[in-house]
Each structure stands twice: as C-alpha cells, then as structure tokens.
C-alpha cells in the first residue's frame, strides 16, 4: 500500500509482549489476537508507544474490544485516515492469522488461552534476549544489493543457541494436556477437514500448516481413543506442546509404544507421484531405526489423504523384501479415523 512502515515485526512483537507482561495490571499472557492488528499496522519500531496504546485500549474495553473499535484505531488513528479500503475480515482474521503463522516459524512465539493470546515461548528466553539485544537496532539500506548482502550473512552466535529439547515424557505430558482441550468429535471433524483439504475455523488449528496439523491431530487422535498407548510426537513444539514444525529429517513422525510392541506412525499430506517418490523408502529406514531404538516387534502405520496405487506397490515390496519383517499399514485419513473408532489396540493383533 506504499505506507512505508519502518519496523521489524518480530522485534516489535517481542518488545511489546515483554512490556505488556511486565505490567502488573495484566495477566502476563502476552498480546491478544484482537490487539494484533494494531501491531500489524504500526508505522515504526516504538514498542513503548504501542504498549501504552494497547494499555489504553484494555482500560477502555478489557480484552474484548469490538472489531469496529480495532478498525477505527488502525484506519483513522494509525493510518491517519489515508486508507479506507480494508475489509473487516482481512484486518481481524486474515492478516492476523498470517502474521501469527510467520512469527511462529521462528520458534520464539507460543499461543495461550486456546489461541486468544500470543506470547513468548518460555523455552526460548535465551534466544529472545539475544535477538532483542543484537537486532533491535537495524541498518537502513539505500540499494537492494546492500540489503541482500546483509540478509545473506549468518550470525553464528544466534545459531549456537540450541533450542530447548523437550524430553519424551514432557512431550507426552503436553500432548495429554491438549487431549483435554479437544474432544474426540472435534479431532474427528478436524481430520475430516484435512482429508478434504478445507480450511479449519478453529483459532489454534487454522494457524498450523496442513502437514504440521496432520501430525498434531494424528497424535491427539491416537491418545484420545487409545489412552493406554504411549504417544511420543517428534515434531518441534513450543512450551505448550503446540507444534511449530513437522518432525525433522532422519526420524519418524510419531513414536507409539503399546507394550511390549512398537508402532511408528508416519503421516503426509502428499499425494500422487510425490507421495510415492518421497515417502515410502524413508519410512522403511525410519522403521528400521525405530526397531533398534525400541523393539524388533514393531510395525508402521502410514496415513495420507489418499494412498496412491504406486505407493501400495512399494509397501507390498517392502514387506516382501524384508521377508515380512517390515510391515507398513497404509490408511487414508478417513479410514484411520474409522479404525480408531472401533480399535482396542493400535498394533495389528
């Protein structure tokens, strides 16, 4: 829109959240989703002034201002009435959702209150402090080449700060917390939405990219219907257990233990030839590693919106080539939901 805003959104977000959380009048949960449009429209990096504007908003409307109140502040106050052509849904939902998605890619941001608040990930305070100390002041560029040269540099100190590794027991504990948030019917509905590639209306789930959401919902589904199974997701997560990215390379997606047996669960949103080329052989390698880690009496469940015929042929070949030792059970998402509805065990008895 040629507004020429001059700020770094991540820096502005982190600094504003810190100021809000240090205010004893508030709940320490960060910035609310309804307040985010103010930050998105903010024209500079002055977190102090933004904090005071949000403070004034909360004094007048608590945590539930009307959409019209927020839009008036954004258009008439921040934008000084220069731009009027903004759709209400765009400001209050679309811009906000996209902003949250991008900020969570850093791993520094968590959701609180069933998605009503955006806060700093408590596991990443060291990295947050480093970012604020070294990047709150940033260079301005007069030509593109200088900008791209700057962006091409790597800060080794930043990458030396390792993310907090959540233990398997902690991952299970956090997953159990989310099982109390989403009922089986809610999980079933959201998996159906993924299967048909529709958009979720849930405030938390809709900000998760489809592959991440599928891993999360699959882990929730198994734990919800088969609570006796140990479910250990390998996706990267924030301090609430909400995933920030899919499981990393070289490991399976979800490790399940139904003592004394093991079940590796692999999920993908890929279909067609991509599914065949990219999924089956890595899954077999992950299954072999899983057996070495836990028990040789293990199998794999493979879940996707649809199962490509060539993938089925590869799965049969894996079983044949391993003389029946490496078993992969393929399910379409809706088939896996049906399986869980009546199953007493995750392992094929």
């Amino acid at each position: 829109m040629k507004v020429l805003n001059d700020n770094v959104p991540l820096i502005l977000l982190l600094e504003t959240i810190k100021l809000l959380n240090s205010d004893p009048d508030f709940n320490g949960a960060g910035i609310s989703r309804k307040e985010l449009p103010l930050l998105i429209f903010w024209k500079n990096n002055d977190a102090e002034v933004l904090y005071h504007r949000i403070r004034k908003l909360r004094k007048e409307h608590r945590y539930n201002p009307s959409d019209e109140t927020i839009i008036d502040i954004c258009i008439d106050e921040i934008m000084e009435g220069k731009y009027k052509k903004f759709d209400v849904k765009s400001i209050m939902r679309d811009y906000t959702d996209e902003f949250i998605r991008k900020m969570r890619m850093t791993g520094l941001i968590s959701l609180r209150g069933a998605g009503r608040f955006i806060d700093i990930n408590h596991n990443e305070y060291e990295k947050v402090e480093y970012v604020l100390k070294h990047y709150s002041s940033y260079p301005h560029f007069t030509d593109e080449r200088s900008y791209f040269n700057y962006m091409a540099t790597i800060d080794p100190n930043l990458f030396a700060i390792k993310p907090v590794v959540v233990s398997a027991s902690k991952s299970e504990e956090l997953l159990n917390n989310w099982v109390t948030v989403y009922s089986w019917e809610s999980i079933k509905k959201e998996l159906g939405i993924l299967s048909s590639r529709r958009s979720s209306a849930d405030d938390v789930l809709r900000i998760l990219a489809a592959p991440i959401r599928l891993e999360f919902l699959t882990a929730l589904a198994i734990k919800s219907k088969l609570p006796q199974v140990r479910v250990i997701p390998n996706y990267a997560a924030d301090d609430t257990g909400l995933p920030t990215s899919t499981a990393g390379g070289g490991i399976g997606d979800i490790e399940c233990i139904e003592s004394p047996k093991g079940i590796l669960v692999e999920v993908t949103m890929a279909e067609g030839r991509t599914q065949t080329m990219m999924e089956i052989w890595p899954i077999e390698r992950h299954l072999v590693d899983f057996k070495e880690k836990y028990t040789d009496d293990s199998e794999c469940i493979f879940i996707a919106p649809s199962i490509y015929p060539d993938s089925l042929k590869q799965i049969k070949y894996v079983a044949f080539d391993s003389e029946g030792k490496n078993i992969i059970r393929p399910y379409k998402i809706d088939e896996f939901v049906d399986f869980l509805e009546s199953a007493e065990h995750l392992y094929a008895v």
Side-chain angles (χ1 to χ4, degrees), residues 139-153:
H140 289 72
F141 301 95
T142 56
D143 65 279
E144 293 178 355
R145 175 61 62 185
S146 298
Y147 170 73
F148 285 116
N149 286 340
Y150 168 76
M151 291 303 297
T153 59

Side-chain angles (χ1 to χ4, degrees), residues 172 175-176 179 184 219-231 257-258 340 343-346:
E172 291 180 79
L175 184 67
N176 287 335
V179 171
W184 166 248
L220 282 179
I222 296 169
K223 196 63 185 179
S224 178
K225 295 301 287 184
L226 299 170
Q228 80 278 8
V229 177
R230 285 190 64 198
V231 181
I257 306 299
E258 193 170 28
L340 288 179
E344 295 183 1
H345 301 278
L346 188 60

Side-chain angles (χ1 to χ4, degrees), residues 201-329:
D202 184 89
D203 281 345
V204 173
L205 298 176
R206 74 171 189 251
I207 60 97
L208 301 180
I212 302 173
R213 198 187 325 159
L214 180 56
E215 286 190 25
F216 182 54
L217 287 171
T218 300
L220 282 179
I222 296 169
K223 196 63 185 179
S224 178
K225 295 301 287 184
L226 299 170
Q228 80 278 8
V229 177
R230 285 190 64 198
V231 181
I232 308 167
N234 283 326
Y235 48 67
D238 61 23
D239 57 343
T240 71
L242 193 67
T244 56
S245 66
T246 56
I251 57 174
D253 294 335
I254 305 166
E255 299 175 347
C256 297
I257 306 299
E258 193 170 28
S259 188
K261 303 178 187 296
I263 308 96
L264 178 66
V265 180
E266 298 274 13
V267 306
T268 184
M269 289 298 294
E271 299 180 271
R273 293 180 180 178
T274 301
Q275 180 186 100
T276 303
M277 292 186 292
M278 301 299 293
E279 299 293 340
I280 306 304
W281 302 133
I283 286 174
E284 184 185 21
R285 293 195 299 270
H286 294 166
L287 179 57
V288 171
D289 294 339
F290 179 81
K291 287 183 175 184
E292 293 178 356
K293 181 177 180 180
Y294 291 107
T295 171
D296 195 53
D297 194 0
S298 297
E299 62 184 12
C300 178
I301 290 175
F302 175 56
I303 304 168
S306 64
I307 306 297
Y308 194 54
D310 289 2
S311 299
L312 291 174
K313 291 179 181 179
Q314 281 188 334
I315 288 169
K316 290 179 181 178
Y317 178 77
V318 166
F320 169 79
D321 188 56
S322 64
E323 298 179 347
K325 294 178 181 179
N326 294 336
I327 300 300
I328 301 173
R329 294 159 49 197

Side-chain angles (χ1 to χ4, degrees), residues 33-306:
R33 182 186 288 265
K34 278 213 161 188
E35 295 160 350
L36 272 182
L38 275 66
L39 189 146
I40 294 170
F41 276 75
W42 205 247
K43 298 178 98 175
N44 55 46
N45 243 4
D46 196 332
E48 185 77 27
V49 176
L50 176 57
Y51 151 70
H52 283 292
R53 187 60 187 90
I54 294 173
R55 195 178 198 283
K56 181 175 183 290
L57 178 67
R58 290 184 180 182
K59 291 296 182 181
E60 295 171 349
H61 301 278
R62 299 302 299 165
Y63 296 100
N64 196 34
S66 67
D67 290 354
E68 289 78 8
T69 296
I70 296 297
I71 290 168
D72 286 346
I73 295 172
C74 290
I75 303 302
D76 296 333
E77 184 179 326
I78 300 174
M79 303 300 300
E80 301 174 344
K82 295 178 181 178
Y83 298 94
K84 295 290 185 181
K85 295 180 181 179
F86 284 96
D87 179 66
V88 174
K89 179 177 176 290
S90 295
I91 293 176
M92 300 306 300
R93 190 179 183 96
D94 298 341
Y95 297 170
T96 301
D97 285 355
E98 190 62 21
F99 183 82
I100 294 172
R101 287 189 193 100
K102 286 182 165 61
M103 295 301 103
R104 291 192 77 251
M105 288 171 65
T106 68
L108 304 182
I109 301 300
S110 293
L111 298 185
R112 310 261 183 244
R116 289 182 61 233
F117 290 88
I118 292 83
D119 195 12
I120 291 172
N121 181 354
H122 294 168
N123 291 338
E124 299 293 349
Y125 271 133
E126 183 183 359
K127 189 170 287 186
V128 168
E129 291 302 318
Y130 182 88
V131 167
L132 291 178
K133 180 179 179 180
H134 292 85
Y135 294 98
S136 290
S137 298
Y138 56 94
H140 289 72
F141 301 95
T142 56
D143 65 279
E144 293 178 355
R145 175 61 62 185
S146 298
Y147 170 73
F148 285 116
N149 286 340
Y150 168 76
M151 291 303 297
T153 59
I154 294 174
D155 182 346
N157 296 313
L158 179 61
F159 288 94
I161 304 174
K162 298 298 182 183
V164 174
V165 178
V166 178
S167 65
S169 59
K170 186 64 175 179
S171 292
E172 291 180 79
E173 176 188 337
L174 293 171
L175 184 67
N176 287 335
N177 292 341
W178 283 104
V179 171
T180 65
V181 174
Y182 291 103
S183 67
W184 166 248
E185 289 304 318
S186 297
I187 296 169
K188 180 179 175 180
K189 174 185 174 183
E190 292 294 337
L191 283 170
I193 289 171
L194 270 178
S195 178
S196 58
R197 296 186 179 273
R198 291 177 286 125
S199 299
S200 173
D202 184 89
D203 281 345
V204 173
L205 298 176
R206 74 171 189 251
I207 60 97
L208 301 180
I212 302 173
R213 198 187 325 159
L214 180 56
E215 286 190 25
F216 182 54
L217 287 171
T218 300
L220 282 179
I222 296 169
K223 196 63 185 179
S224 178
K225 295 301 287 184
L226 299 170
Q228 80 278 8
V229 177
R230 285 190 64 198
V231 181
I232 308 167
N234 283 326
Y235 48 67
D238 61 23
D239 57 343
T240 71
L242 193 67
T244 56
S245 66
T246 56
I251 57 174
D253 294 335
I254 305 166
E255 299 175 347
C256 297
I257 306 299
E258 193 170 28
S259 188
K261 303 178 187 296
I263 308 96
L264 178 66
V265 180
E266 298 274 13
V267 306
T268 184
M269 289 298 294
E271 299 180 271
R273 293 180 180 178
T274 301
Q275 180 186 100
T276 303
M277 292 186 292
M278 301 299 293
E279 299 293 340
I280 306 304
W281 302 133
I283 286 174
E284 184 185 21
R285 293 195 299 270
H286 294 166
L287 179 57
V288 171
D289 294 339
F290 179 81
K291 287 183 175 184
E292 293 178 356
K293 181 177 180 180
Y294 291 107
T295 171
D296 195 53
D297 194 0
S298 297
E299 62 184 12
C300 178
I301 290 175
F302 175 56
I303 304 168
S306 64

